[in-house]
Amino acid sequence: MTRKADRDQIRRQNRSIILKALRRQGPIARIDLGQITHLSPATVTAITSDLLAQGLIEGIESEEPKAPQSRGRPRSLLRINPDAACVVAIRLSVNAIDMSLANFAGETFLNKRVPFDSASADAASFPMLLIETIETFVGEAAVQPDSIREIGVAAQGVVDKGSGMVVWSPAFAGRNIPIVAPLTKAFDAECILSNDTNMITEALHWIDPARYSDTFAVVMLDYGVGMGLYLDNRLFEGANGMAAEFGHSNHIPGGALCRCGKRGCMEAYLSDYALVRAATHLPETTDPKEINAGVAGLAALIARADQGDNDALTAFASAGRVLGYGLARLLAILDPKRIVLTGAAMRAFRFMEASMYRGLEEALVEDLRQNYEIDVMPWNEDFIRRGLVAQAMDRLDKDYLGTETRKIASPRNRGAAA
Amino acid sequence: MTRKADRDQIRRQNRSIILKALRRQGPIARIDLGQITHLSPATVTAITSDLLAQGLIEGIESEEPKAPQSRGRPRSLLRINPDAACVVAIRLSVNAIDMSLANFAGETFLNKRVPFDSASADAASFPMLLIETIETFVGEAAVQPDSIREIGVAAQGVVDKGSGMVVWSPAFAGRNIPIVAPLTKAFDAECILSNDTNMITEALHWIDPARYSDTFAVVMLDYGVGMGLYLDNRLFEGANGMAAEFGHSNHIPGGALCRCGKRGCMEAYLSDYALVRAATHLPETTDPKEINAGVAGLAALIARADQGDNDALTAFASAGRVLGYGLARLLAILDPKRIVLTGAAMRAFRFMEASMYRGLEEALVEDLRQNYEIDVMPWNEDFIRRGLVAQAMDRLDKDYLGTETRKIASPRNRGAAA
DNA sequence: CAACTTTTTTTCGGACGTCAAAAAAATAAT
DNA sequence: ATTATTTTTTTGACGTCCGAAAAAAAGTTG
């Protein structure tokens, strides 16, 4: 049954809408906030004065109003108080921990990459390592630890949102690495673990909501194969937060050997090692662990294809056809209005494109191939961070319901404390 | 961006919750409504007196209070006014139009099946036929036509919710049969076209929300293969209302010939004709149109399997394995917590079960096979009607926002008009 | 330079929703 | 008849949004 509604809810939602608008539209006057949110000026004033009192936003006393000649009372601009909160975004990838600090305006003000040894990282050792790495990072930033309100972690592979563990990931030797529990305990902050491609999906929605809304899928071909789903205008993560494992959905029964041990997974045809395996005429049963591919191997293969190397071209063409079949299955099952292709392998898209469309055509009846578009998105590592930050901001906005804000720290020497 | 919230919304939602509780829990006292909905007694009184004034619900002046010995003011029960509205539920299947009339309490009070000739039904002829069939049916029911507020239509095959057309269906010879536009024009009622398996999904949620909520999938093996998806606690229909075409998602590239013309669709291994084709050793490329299967052929095949016929048993075992692969793909992509198997072919489930689980195991890495259950649901034709009615009730509840109700007709001679 | 115009922001009063508490209603128990 | 008990309704308070009016803060004009 749907939950009952009460008046708290409506204030909370409207506050959150205003915060989101402020974060997105930069400094803005109350009147324009009303336009954007469809709230009356009276309501905007009420809510913003609340937010001002809480210190979540601040007025700009700018000496230079940009529009010099305009009658009437000049607009007084509002903006998010960047120092009202602080979030940490962490990406766990092979041999590297990427960390970022972002303020309440959603701006990243510090990044750091720390290498670690994926091959030896397991459930026993990694959590402690991660905590120490974060503590060092936060210490260097001269941020008061208690101003950190959210920690978002993205990992490649299978993550279980319920238990807050990385079930399996190429970034770790071990399995079932607990992340959320140790971090929550070590830091006084909400911690949330997400799949990396889901964060790309969230980032796309944040960056261009007009284009990336409603129902779309993101497929990432990189080190491994990832997917993110935005369904009915929200990120879909499945009952256990494990959805969108496109890479391990089966393509051919008994087919090529996958890193997961099964035969015929999409990943076994599309990922870095699969492409290298195909291009070097290794049998499909070659153990992926014995193939030295990775993003570097992929890049080398793309270079060969660029020079017209036939093996490379054939490998990409075959992968394209498999991709076409995979997308056809997505279209049949989910009817998305858009599919976004991204990841390092997309630099080779021109070698896959024709066969991909051929695969799509072979695999799916025309009636179901009518209303969709495919975007090819240049790969941008930054997307994962932006998705993490966007998600954290969303959670922060909803957290600051009516409760008094915690003491607001000033991580850096910002002058503008009204 | 999320929509702004205002207080209309909250009243609407709480009204709708109360109506839903009344419909589900039968006659009930205000105090219990408060318990169920978590609304205060004051609010319950306010909302119910509103609904009473609108004639959507009515009090019961029962002479016999069921519980004879109890102190205190006796509870005065409320119930939905069944005559407040009337909906038509229509199922279009091969050679038959099934129609039902249901009242505002969600009770069906009249059913009728009218045969028609699917082989000659196309976009030009069918809409008129359907309108006339409905008009006759409604006429026989002695229902004032203007008390009909919603018409729900379910069809097998590919339906386009946006355009309100049946793109392709085994029930029709033609394609792109308009349904919503003609019916909306002919009757002064909202009309909505849905996929039949989606309605089964909706019905399951209505009948047992505790079990069928959050994220689950329904797979129907019958005449053709259908799927319904309930994701994040709502029916998912895709960007164009065409989602969940599991039957035409590809299983084997270049595989068995499907009714849709493509090769290797799930349907080409799982549906009636596929099973008959396999059991009679016809080549996989045999045109489905030349196979006389249908639900009757399927029943015959099940009978053969019951008697230990080897061809039949092998056919079911192979289909089971294919089904296992299909479910594995669903698990990988959507991570549902439950999969419901239904349809006429489920009477043969015991012949498919072992190979289905084998297929699941072959196709999907164990990590992704941890947290789900499979239900096998005896097939019940009634589900589609119940889903249609449940959907119509939902829409009605939300329609009766603050607007005055239309004049309430009394279709039958009901005494209880307070 | 004072009055007018224009635009933004704030204030005020009204309407409406929920809720807690009090009152009323209806019956059983004494 | 009176008291006790339980349900329902009423009342009053509080919170929210909105429209209208007022106030504020400029520029423009005579």
Side-chain angles (χ1 to χ4, degrees):
Chain A
M1 175 112 53
T2 334
R3 270 202 111 52
K4 75 162 182 188
D6 60 13
R7 72 197 163 289
D8 281 16
Q9 233 169 56
I10 116 178
R11 195 49 175 289
R12 211 173 322 173
Q13 177 161 346
N14 287 343
R15 280 167 62 101
S16 145
I17 288 173
I18 284 190
L19 279 172
K20 199 178 285 189
L22 275 162
R23 193 174 293 115
R24 180 178 295 282
Q25 318 274 346
I28 187 174
R30 290 173 180 76
I31 185 118
D32 295 323
L33 271 178
Q35 291 277 322
I36 292 173
T37 60
H38 303 109
L39 292 165
S40 71
T43 305
V44 173
T45 291
I47 292 179
T48 52
S49 55
D50 240 40
L51 296 173
L52 279 165
Q54 272 188 78
L56 300 182
I57 66 176
E58 57 190 16
I60 291 184
E61 317 90 47
S62 95
E63 293 72 35
E64 293 305 301
K66 300 306 177 296
Q69 65 263 51
S70 87
R71 268 145 87 105
R73 179 173 176 171
R75 2 189 96 189
S76 74
L77 303 183
L78 298 171
R79 71 166 161 225
I80 294 273
N81 173 7
D83 301 334
C86 187
V87 303
V88 184
I90 297 168
R91 178 184 173 206
L92 305 176
S93 56
V94 182
N95 293 325
I97 300 174
D98 284 298
M99 293 171 293
S100 303
L101 271 167
N103 59 27
F104 192 54
E107 304 154 352
T108 303
F109 59 86
L110 198 62
N111 293 300
K112 187 183 183 190
R113 161 168 294 195
V114 174
F116 78 107
D117 181 26
S118 282
S120 71
D122 60 19
S125 64
F126 187 73
M128 204 54 212
L129 171 67
L130 182 60
I131 290 170
E132 282 163 10
T133 310
I134 296 173
E135 270 170 353
T136 309
F137 175 59
V138 170
E140 286 166 4
V143 165
Q144 266 106 335
D146 67 339
S147 72
I148 292 173
R149 302 288 303 262
E150 294 271 343
I151 303 177
V153 181
Q156 208 186 80
V158 181
V159 309
D160 184 329
K161 257 197 142 62
S163 66
M165 298 198 297
V166 177
V167 177
W168 180 89
S169 166
F172 303 110
R175 306 164 63 80
N176 295 315
I177 320 257
I179 300 289
V180 170
L183 290 188
T184 306
K185 207 172 153 191
F187 303 91
D188 182 22
E190 292 293 308
C191 179
I192 185 166
L193 173 66
S194 305
N195 173 279
D196 61 346
T197 316
N198 282 343
M199 290 304 96
I200 295 177
T201 310
E202 196 78 87
L204 287 174
H205 176 72
W206 167 253
I207 290 163
D208 187 353
R211 190 176 184 88
Y212 301 109
S213 285
D214 296 329
T215 292
F216 69 96
V218 177
V219 172
M220 176 166 76
L221 305 185
D222 203 84
Y223 186 82
V225 175
M227 180 163 83
L229 293 174
Y230 220 78
L231 306 182
D232 279 348
N233 224 20
R234 46 202 278 201
L235 187 68
F236 176 78
E237 304 187 276
N240 311 105
M242 292 181 178
E245 275 301 331
F246 182 69
H248 297 290
S249 74
N250 182 273
H251 174 52
I252 304 268
L257 185 60
C258 176
R259 196 159 39 176
C260 75
K262 295 293 172 186
R263 306 278 301 261
C265 296
M266 293 294 296
E267 186 185 295
Y269 297 94
L270 293 178
S271 68
D272 54 329
Y273 68 82
L275 285 159
V276 169
R277 182 168 62 188
T280 51
H281 300 290
L282 288 168
E284 284 192 338
T285 51
T286 309
D287 187 341
K289 288 192 201 72
E290 287 163 20
I291 300 166
N292 199 354
V295 176
L298 193 56
L301 198 64
I302 294 173
R304 278 172 59 189
D306 274 328
Q307 287 157 19
D309 178 289
N310 230 319
D311 288 338
L313 289 172
T314 309
F316 281 119
S318 308
R321 183 154 170 276
V322 173
L323 181 59
Y325 269 84
L327 300 188
R329 294 189 186 111
L330 283 187
L331 287 172
I333 290 175
L334 295 175
D335 184 24
K337 75 173 188 188
R338 186 180 302 279
I339 294 178
V340 182
L341 301 175
T342 186
M346 277 306 108
R347 280 184 292 146
F349 182 63
R350 62 188 181 286
F351 306 127
M352 304 196 277
E353 184 168 10
S355 56
M356 181 191 86
Y357 281 110
R358 212 172 318 121
L360 257 166
E361 211 178 303
E362 281 173 31
L364 193 60
V365 62
E366 196 186 351
D367 291 329
L368 300 173
R369 255 188 297 123
Q370 301 291 54
N371 301 304
Y372 74 99
E373 287 175 51
I374 289 185
D375 282 7
V376 178
M377 169 82 44
W379 172 227
N380 189 335
E381 287 231 328
D382 213 38
F383 279 2
I384 292 173
R385 183 182 56 67
R386 294 173 81 170
L388 283 168
V389 171
Q391 193 181 51
M393 293 300 127
D394 229 56
R395 292 165 57 86
L396 277 183
D397 290 353
K398 272 163 195 151
D399 268 17
Y400 285 122
L401 34 138
T403 49
E404 290 319 293
T405 174
R406 301 207 297 199
K407 213 165 87 85
I408 287 162
S410 284
R412 285 163 301 159
N413 196 5
R414 281 186 167 267
Chain B
M1 175 110 55
T2 331
R3 269 201 113 50
K4 76 164 180 186
D6 60 12
R7 78 199 158 284
D8 280 17
Q9 230 170 56
I10 118 177
R11 192 49 172 285
R12 214 174 318 174
Q13 177 162 344
N14 288 343
R15 282 167 60 101
S16 143
I17 287 173
I18 283 190
L19 280 171
K20 200 178 281 189
L22 276 162
R23 194 175 291 116
R24 181 178 294 282
Q25 317 275 345
I28 188 174
R30 290 171 180 76
I31 186 119
D32 295 323
L33 272 178
Q35 291 279 320
I36 292 172
T37 59
H38 303 109
L39 291 164
S40 72
T43 306
V44 173
T45 292
I47 292 180
T48 52
S49 56
D50 238 41
L51 296 172
L52 278 165
Q54 272 188 80
L56 299 183
I57 66 176
E58 56 190 18
I60 291 182
E61 319 88 43
S62 94
E63 293 72 32
E64 294 307 300
K66 298 307 176 298
Q69 64 266 49
S70 89
R71 268 144 89 103
R73 180 172 176 172
R75 11 190 86 185
S76 75
L77 304 182
L78 298 172
R79 71 166 160 224
I80 292 275
N81 174 8
D83 301 334
C86 188
V87 303
V88 184
I90 297 169
R91 178 185 173 205
L92 306 175
S93 56
V94 182
N95 293 324
I97 301 173
D98 284 298
M99 293 171 293
S100 303
L101 270 167
N103 60 29
F104 192 54
E107 303 153 351
T108 304
F109 59 86
L110 197 63
N111 293 299
K112 188 182 181 190
R113 160 168 294 195
V114 174
F116 80 107
D117 182 26
S118 281
S120 71
D122 60 18
S125 64
F126 186 74
M128 204 53 211
L129 171 67
L130 181 60
I131 289 170
E132 281 163 10
T133 309
I134 297 173
E135 271 170 352
T136 308
F137 175 60
V138 170
E140 286 165 4
V143 166
Q144 267 106 332
D146 68 339
S147 72
I148 292 173
R149 301 288 302 262
E150 293 272 344
I151 302 178
V153 181
Q156 207 186 76
V158 181
V159 309
D160 185 330
K161 258 196 139 62
S163 66
M165 297 200 297
V166 177
V167 176
W168 179 89
S169 166
F172 302 110
R175 305 164 64 81
N176 295 317
I177 321 258
I179 301 287
V180 169
L183 290 188
T184 306
K185 205 170 156 195
F187 303 90
D188 181 22
E190 291 294 310
C191 180
I192 184 165
L193 173 65
S194 305
N195 173 279
D196 60 346
T197 315
N198 281 343
M199 291 302 97
I200 295 177
T201 310
E202 196 77 89
L204 287 174
H205 176 71
W206 166 252
I207 291 163
D208 187 354
R211 191 176 185 86
Y212 300 109
S213 284
D214 296 329
T215 292
F216 69 96
V218 177
V219 172
M220 176 165 77
L221 305 185
D222 203 84
Y223 187 81
V225 175
M227 182 163 82
L229 293 175
Y230 220 78
L231 306 182
D232 280 348
N233 225 20
R234 45 203 281 199
L235 187 68
F236 176 77
E237 305 187 276
N240 311 105
M242 290 182 178
E245 276 300 331
F246 183 69
H248 297 291
S249 74
N250 182 272
H251 174 52
I252 304 268
L257 185 60
C258 176
R259 197 158 41 176
C260 75
K262 294 294 172 187
R263 307 277 301 260
C265 297
M266 293 294 296
E267 187 185 295
Y269 298 93
L270 292 177
S271 69
D272 55 329
Y273 69 82
L275 285 160
V276 168
R277 182 167 62 187
T280 52
H281 300 290
L282 289 167
E284 285 193 337
T285 52
T286 309
D287 187 340
K289 289 195 201 68
E290 287 164 19
I291 299 166
N292 198 354
V295 176
L298 194 55
L301 197 63
I302 294 173
R304 278 173 59 190
D306 274 329
Q307 287 157 18
D309 178 290
N310 231 319
D311 288 339
L313 288 172
T314 309
F316 281 119
S318 310
R321 184 156 170 276
V322 173
L323 180 59
Y325 269 84
L327 300 189
R329 293 189 185 112
L330 284 185
L331 287 173
I333 291 175
L334 295 175
D335 183 24
K337 73 173 189 188
R338 188 182 299 281
I339 295 178
V340 183
L341 300 175
T342 187
M346 277 305 109
R347 280 184 294 144
F349 181 63
R350 62 187 181 286
F351 307 126
M352 304 195 277
E353 184 168 9
S355 56
M356 180 189 87
Y357 281 110
R358 213 172 316 123
L360 257 166
E361 213 179 300
E362 281 173 31
L364 193 59
V365 62
E366 196 187 350
D367 290 329
L368 300 173
R369 253 187 298 122
Q370 301 291 53
N371 300 305
Y372 74 98
E373 287 176 50
I374 289 186
D375 283 7
V376 177
M377 170 82 43
W379 169 231
N380 189 337
E381 287 230 329
D382 213 39
F383 279 2
I384 293 173
R385 181 182 57 66
R386 294 174 80 170
L388 282 168
V389 171
Q391 192 181 52
M393 292 300 127
D394 230 55
R395 292 165 57 87
L396 277 183
D397 290 353
K398 270 162 196 152
D399 268 17
Y400 286 123
L401 36 138
T403 48
E404 290 318 295
T405 175
R406 302 207 296 199
K407 211 165 88 85
I408 287 162
S410 284
R412 286 161 301 156
N413 196 2
R414 279 186 168 268

